[in-house]
Amino acid sequence: MSVLPLVFTSGWASGINAYAAVLLLGLFGATGLSDDVPAAMQRPEVLIVAGVLFLCEAVADKIPYVDSVWDSVHTVIRPVAGAWVGALLAGQSGSLSEVAAGVIGGSTALASHTVKAGTRMAVNTSPEPFSNVVVSLAEDLGVGGIVTFSMFHPVAAAIVAGVLLATGLVVVCFLVSRIRRFRRRRAERRERKRALAEWPPQEPPPA
């Protein structure tokens, strides 16, 4: 069977939470629940590093504005992780070119990362901090659920991931205007504070 659905799903998951995707796939392979996971992802050091970084992301991802900084740092890391996982999966199965799998995994991860980062920027415009926690938990559960589902029903999981990706891209397009308005208001507030700090205006020195 073609590994393409698993490559696509793992790419989507990597764009949301690369460390969770690598950790879950590695655990499924190490426990013998899946024969599609390459040995490189099952190595103890890979699992330990992925687990530690997942815990770091689990904390940073739930703090307003820290999550956006974290997303900025991972703009390169997540697509690279998606490409790496895709290439490894293709090399394991032999049913898809490693280069093609890397491109599919990396581009899918970049698209889902864009959705995640754009959504978080919009969520950060909310005055309360709880929405960040809710969204982060939903992302973690979504990645865990779909990666697990893909181990047993790869085609169905890929369809679900595709629907979520398409829906997310549409939502982000609508959220762009909100993000721009928020940034404009924040810039206006900074200007007002600067003007108040300089009030009253200084009189020019006598000639």
Side-chain angles (χ1 to χ4, degrees), residues 70-89:
W70 185 270
D71 286 338
S72 298
V73 173
H74 285 74
T75 300
V76 174
I77 296 175
R78 288 169 182 160
V80 170
W84 176 70
V85 172
L88 287 178
L89 291 172

Side-chain angles (χ1 to χ4, degrees), residues 153-193:
H153 305 283
V155 175
I159 292 172
V160 173
V163 171
L164 290 174
L165 179 58
T167 303
L169 289 172
V170 172
V171 170
V172 166
C173 289
F174 281 108
L175 291 176
V176 166
S177 59
R178 179 179 177 179
I179 295 170
R180 288 175 176 171
R181 285 197 302 270
F182 171 74
R183 287 180 170 176
R184 187 166 56 249
R185 288 196 300 268
R186 188 168 60 178
E188 291 171 353
R189 285 197 297 268
R190 283 200 298 263
E191 288 297 325
R192 285 197 296 269
K193 289 181 179 178

Side-chain angles (χ1 to χ4, degrees), residues 5-14 16 20-21 24-25 28 108 112 138-165:
L6 186 56
V7 169
F8 180 84
T9 303
S10 64
W12 172 86
S14 296
I16 304 296
L24 282 172
L25 289 171
F28 279 120
T108 305
S112 60
E139 290 170 350
D140 293 341
L141 292 174
V143 168
I146 291 180
V147 170
T148 301
F149 189 44
S150 69
M151 293 291 98
F152 307 99
H153 305 283
V155 175
I159 292 172
V160 173
V163 171
L164 290 174
L165 179 58

